[in-house]
Amino acid sequence: MAKISINIASGSIEKKKVIVGIDLGTTNSLVAFVPKGDENAQIIPVRGNNIVPSVIHFDVHNIPAVGAFAKDKLLGDPERTIYSVKRLLGKNYKDIPQDNVNLGYRIIDDQSDNLVKVQVGAKFYNPIELSAEILKELKEQAQKTLNADVEQAVITVPAYFNESQRQATRDAGKLAGLDVLRIINEPTAASLAYGIQTQSNGHILVYDFGGGTFDVSILQIEDGVFEVLSTHGDTYLGGDDIDKAIVDYWQNKAREANFELDDFSILRHHAESAKIQLSNDPKTVFEYKINSDFNLLLDYKTLVSIAEPILEKTWNSVNRALNDAQLKHTDIHEVVLVGGSTRLPIIAEKLNNWFNQSRINNQINPDEVVALGAAIEADVLAGNRTDVLLLDVTPLSLGIETAGGLMDVLIPRNSKIPQRVGREYTTSVDGQINLKVAVFQGERELVEQNRKLGEFVLKDIPSMPAGMPKIEIQFALNADGMLQVQAKELRSGVSQKVEIQPSYGLTDAEVEQMLMAGLANAQSDVEERLLRESQNEARQIIYTTERFIDKNANLLSEDEKLGTEQRIEAVRGLLDGSDRHQLQAKIEELNDFSRPFAERLMDVAVSKALKGNRIDQMK
Ligand code: ADP
Ligand code: MG
């Protein structure tokens, strides 16, 4: 398969370059490509296997090993063996549901908004670095297998991944030395793998039930064009949960027999073996001997009842996706099964009954179909096919914070991407010159319940009465699901643009010094906030004092007016600086100077008011 080309001009041997498709799975990862001149994708074997367990083991010197070798260490060396890292990707500790903290290894709660960290011996790793280890293994081994350079890739993510999880995946690729051409949704990739062969127009439902995530997506194919109509899912639902439910079941059985089963890792391993044995051969009974008095048992019927509450959630998602796409189940022509967990016979049975007019597609290996689709997308991007076009959809609404902490949605969930939307806003305070634009993602009314993606300040809006400025906020969501936000005051043309970085705020340069940078930013963020608060206070006091002097000019001495003006200028001079202590001191000076005559005039105003005149409000 390997080919070598020779550059005639230089006489040197050139390795060919291959763009790969990568399924970076929670449980297993795969890499695939489309050979030149071919149109079918193939899995690239890694150390002789198509499937690479997404597991990383660190030896005592913290040298990483990825894949089957690492998976074998789950039992013997769980504290140094990291699995399901995709579940931690782009997340803070507080984002992680409690029952998912029950891993064999240590994740660190540093009581902050920073990235989750994993502790291995004396070292700390974040999920981006860990995912990069998996990608590095795929890249390097693919290069060996193909005897080609692998520098560019398409990487898939669950449809329900949010912006920061997508960005984290991109960063992991970069860290592994890959130019990530595109991030695409796993169900989209799977349908692409099947869609090539699909001649007819119609609706496809992709049911992807893997080890750690569940997605259902509804796609439309029309004249070779794929369009995602809706997606629904749960990034915390997968075959792992079935394994855990089996462990719970066994632990209950053991407790009834006055037995203590405590090694979670070993039990998990056997639970998965039981599940796979029974789904391949439902007539057998799984048996694991603990000792002469006690056996762990499982049969298919029990397995199905244990899995039922988990499967129920997937059926609910199917209904929600159908609703979002405004389709009935009879509108679905094809059902595509993706993910190792769809090998449980009950799943195809259920979908067969439910969608009995549709074709159930499970001919392509459910473990491989996503990587194969990613490779086809890579081939499209390489310019090797013109027959396919991909339209994607955004799974969560995107919007900004407006007065009162309300979420104002600019791009609703399930909008097609790429997408560009603009909306006009204005100020609520006279002379407002700064406007904070805070960007959120989610479906709740209050921004505090949604996920904050980032914020920036539109500065130097010319001072105008409240309601006068016309501020246009524009959201541009590109084909990768990355968001660009622009704010522009239309009367003056003042504008500012940002590429939204997820809340952990990684820039390219920071990818290298990830951990420390996170901590350093947290500190400077606090400093920045304190400085802003002082600046706001300074602006407020300049505003009110100047108004006060204007209104009462004839009641003040020249010294009072001049002295006040000088002190206002001193505050103003520091307004754009970065020393908040100095600014605060000047604010105090101004306050101290104006207080005595302000109080004197207040008394006059109050006595006037008592005679029936209006008090000028001092605000
Ligand atoms: P991911 O996309 O999360 O990496 P995969 O698609 O590789 O996951 O699926 C892994 C899951 O499939 C695991 O939970 C594994 O136990 C499960 N699995 C693999 N084979 C079978 C089988 N024959 N029956 C049931 N579950 C299976
Ligand atoms: Mg998968």
Side-chain angles (χ1 to χ4, degrees):
M1 193 196 313
K3 286 192 192 109
I4 291 172
S5 56
I6 298 171
N7 183 324
I8 312 269
S10 67
S12 63
I13 292 175
E14 286 182 343
K15 272 191 182 169
K16 63 179 173 150
K17 284 194 196 315
V18 172
I19 308 179
V20 295
I22 294 178
D23 172 6
L24 180 62
T26 311
T27 318
N28 295 309
S29 297
L30 298 91
V31 53
F33 84 126
V34 177
K36 206 151 190 66
D38 204 335
E39 69 171 31
N40 292 314
Q42 312 179 347
I43 299 293
I44 305 169
V46 167
R47 299 180 197 270
N49 294 308
N50 282 8
I51 289 181
V52 180
S54 304
V55 183
I56 307 137
H57 175 257
F58 290 93
D59 72 7
V60 288
H61 306 293
N62 277 63
I63 309 286
V66 170
F69 170 83
K71 191 179 177 184
D72 283 345
K73 299 283 181 182
L74 272 174
L75 290 180
D77 198 10
E79 295 210 334
R80 298 186 147 272
T81 311
I82 317 303
Y83 65 93
S84 285
V85 65
K86 189 171 172 181
R87 290 193 154 192
L88 309 177
L89 205 56
K91 300 217 163 175
N92 305 323
Y93 188 86
K94 62 178 167 41
D95 289 340
I96 297 168
Q98 275 314 298
D99 50 330
N100 282 292
V101 174
N102 192 8
L103 301 157
Y105 52 89
R106 295 187 61 185
I107 67 172
I108 306 302
D109 175 13
D110 66 354
Q111 309 262 306
S112 75
D113 279 354
N114 292 325
L115 284 172
V116 169
K117 277 157 260 174
V118 171
Q119 185 176 3
V120 183
K123 284 206 175 181
F124 297 89
Y125 300 91
N126 71 38
I128 294 175
E129 295 167 302
L130 296 167
S131 301
E133 289 300 337
I134 298 168
L135 292 172
K136 234 181 273 171
E137 167 78 0
L138 298 177
K139 171 188 150 95
E140 283 164 12
Q141 294 302 320
Q143 291 189 147
K144 278 194 186 155
T145 306
L146 300 178
N147 189 29
D149 284 330
V150 174
E151 282 155 8
Q152 296 182 307
V154 168
I155 305 180
T156 59
V157 295
Y160 218 67
F161 254 28
N162 64 30
E163 311 294 320
S164 70
Q165 292 166 306
R166 281 165 203 265
Q167 182 62 43
T169 304
R170 213 167 237 291
D171 289 341
K174 217 178 292 167
L175 206 57
L178 286 168
D179 178 12
V180 181
L181 297 177
R182 190 162 290 186
I183 300 286
I184 65 170
N185 290 330
E186 288 158 12
T188 305
S191 72
L192 198 51
Y194 277 104
I196 299 298
Q197 295 100 307
T198 306
Q199 302 302 322
S200 57
N201 294 341
H203 294 118
I204 301 180
L205 184 140
V206 185
Y207 178 99
D208 181 347
F209 196 25
T213 56
F214 171 74
D215 296 279
V216 55
S217 297
I218 295 174
L219 302 109
Q220 180 173 289
I221 293 191
E222 216 166 53
D223 304 326
V225 177
F226 291 79
E227 189 180 331
V228 184
L229 298 181
S230 70
T231 73
H232 208 272
D234 189 337
T235 50
Y236 281 98
L237 193 67
D240 289 354
D241 298 293
I242 298 179
D243 302 345
K244 269 186 225 135
I246 296 170
V247 170
D248 284 346
Y249 167 80
W250 280 340
Q251 275 171 334
N252 280 334
K253 284 279 171 210
R255 234 167 269 132
E256 281 165 22
N258 275 328
F259 233 89
E260 202 54 49
L261 294 172
D262 49 22
D263 196 322
F264 180 79
S265 299
I266 292 179
L267 286 175
R268 199 185 112 92
H269 179 78
H270 289 300
E272 185 181 15
S273 305
K275 177 185 71 177
I276 291 174
Q277 176 189 313
L278 296 174
S279 77
N280 292 343
D281 203 347
K283 290 197 183 65
T284 60
V285 175
F286 177 86
E287 202 174 331
Y288 175 64
K289 216 174 181 58
I290 297 281
N291 62 25
S292 54
D293 300 323
F294 194 72
N295 266 353
L296 296 177
L297 297 173
L298 196 69
D299 59 29
Y300 182 69
K301 211 176 141 220
T302 311
L303 171 61
V304 169
S305 70
I306 288 173
E308 191 51 41
I310 294 158
L311 297 180
E312 195 60 37
K313 291 185 189 169
T314 73
W315 311 138
N316 291 338
S317 283
V318 169
N319 279 327
R320 289 193 58 175
L322 282 168
N323 273 341
D324 282 350
Q326 300 183 327
L327 294 174
K328 300 185 297 292
H329 69 273
T330 47
D331 295 326
I332 300 296
H333 303 95
E334 312 262 352
V335 174
V336 177
L337 297 190
V338 182
S341 296
T342 60
R343 288 207 181 85
L344 270 177
I346 179 84
I347 291 175
E349 275 166 34
K350 169 87 180 181
L351 291 171
N352 237 324
N353 288 336
W354 200 353
F355 296 95
N356 57 8
Q357 78 297 338
S358 352
R359 181 163 57 197
I360 306 290
N361 292 279
N362 50 5
Q363 317 79 285
I364 302 181
N365 187 329
D367 302 322
E368 297 181 355
V369 64
V370 168
L372 294 172
I376 290 167
E377 174 71 1
D379 204 37
V380 172
L381 294 175
N384 297 335
R385 351 179 141 221
T386 48
D387 56 330
V388 203
L389 209 136
L390 251 159
L391 279 180
D392 233 324
V393 80
T394 178
L396 292 168
S397 302
L398 296 163
I400 64 165
E401 176 177 1
T402 53
L406 290 174
M407 173 89 173
D408 194 37
V409 172
L410 277 98
I411 300 182
R413 66 188 293 255
N414 284 326
S415 299
K416 283 164 205 156
I417 55 178
Q419 171 96 243
R420 183 183 285 272
V421 175
R423 190 172 296 169
E424 257 181 47
Y425 296 87
T426 190
T427 54
S428 54
V429 179
D430 279 348
Q432 189 173 336
I433 61 169
N434 280 357
L435 183 80
K436 186 179 83 180
V437 180
V439 181
F440 287 84
Q441 178 183 47
E443 309 310 313
R444 309 286 295 266
E445 295 295 327
L446 295 176
V447 292
E448 68 187 28
Q449 289 159 333
N450 287 328
R451 183 183 181 87
K452 186 171 191 170
L453 294 176
E455 70 172 52
F456 65 97
V457 178
L458 178 63
K459 291 189 185 128
D460 304 324
I461 302 169
S463 182
M464 283 179 251
M468 274 291 281
K470 287 163 76 107
I471 296 157
E472 190 191 54
I473 308 283
Q474 205 173 70
F475 275 27
L477 192 60
N478 75 12
D480 291 340
M482 305 306 282
L483 182 65
Q484 214 175 52
V485 179
Q486 181 176 8
K488 185 173 186 180
E489 203 289 302
L490 299 175
R491 294 181 194 277
S492 60
V494 175
S495 84
Q496 189 161 337
K497 198 185 227 173
V498 292
E499 175 102 7
I500 283 295
Q501 295 272 327
S503 52
Y504 61 80
L506 282 180
T507 67
D508 288 7
E510 281 170 329
V511 172
E512 271 122 48
Q513 26 137 332
M514 323 201 68
L515 217 79
M516 297 321 293
L519 290 170
N521 278 346
Q523 278 232 308
S524 66
D525 284 350
V526 171
E527 269 309 310
E528 176 72 2
R529 201 192 68 215
L530 291 171
L531 175 63
R532 292 253 166 85
E533 283 174 355
S534 295
Q535 288 169 338
N536 284 342
E537 190 185 339
R539 282 191 195 97
Q540 193 70 27
I541 195 167
I542 290 172
Y543 182 64
T544 54
T545 311
E546 280 181 340
R547 269 185 59 174
F548 179 78
I549 299 282
D550 260 14
K551 291 247 148 88
N552 301 288
N554 55 344
L555 298 171
L556 294 168
S557 72
E558 278 314 300
D559 279 352
E560 284 170 337
K561 281 191 264 188
L562 207 69
T564 308
E565 251 157 47
Q566 280 166 354
R567 284 167 181 81
I568 287 176
E569 284 320 306
V571 174
R572 213 193 302 275
L574 293 172
L575 208 48
D576 291 324
S578 57
D579 189 342
R580 71 181 164 86
H581 297 288
Q582 221 185 341
L583 180 59
Q584 207 61 49
K586 293 292 170 198
I587 292 173
E588 286 310 311
E589 267 178 43
L590 173 58
N591 260 333
D592 290 344
F593 183 77
S594 60
R595 193 174 298 120
F597 60 79
E599 281 169 1
R600 189 184 80 221
L601 291 181
M602 272 298 264
D603 288 342
V604 175
V606 169
S607 61
K608 266 195 197 169
L610 291 175
K611 287 180 200 138
N613 292 332
R614 266 184 70 232
I615 302 178
D616 269 331
Q617 247 186 339
M618 293 217 331
K619 239 179 115 186

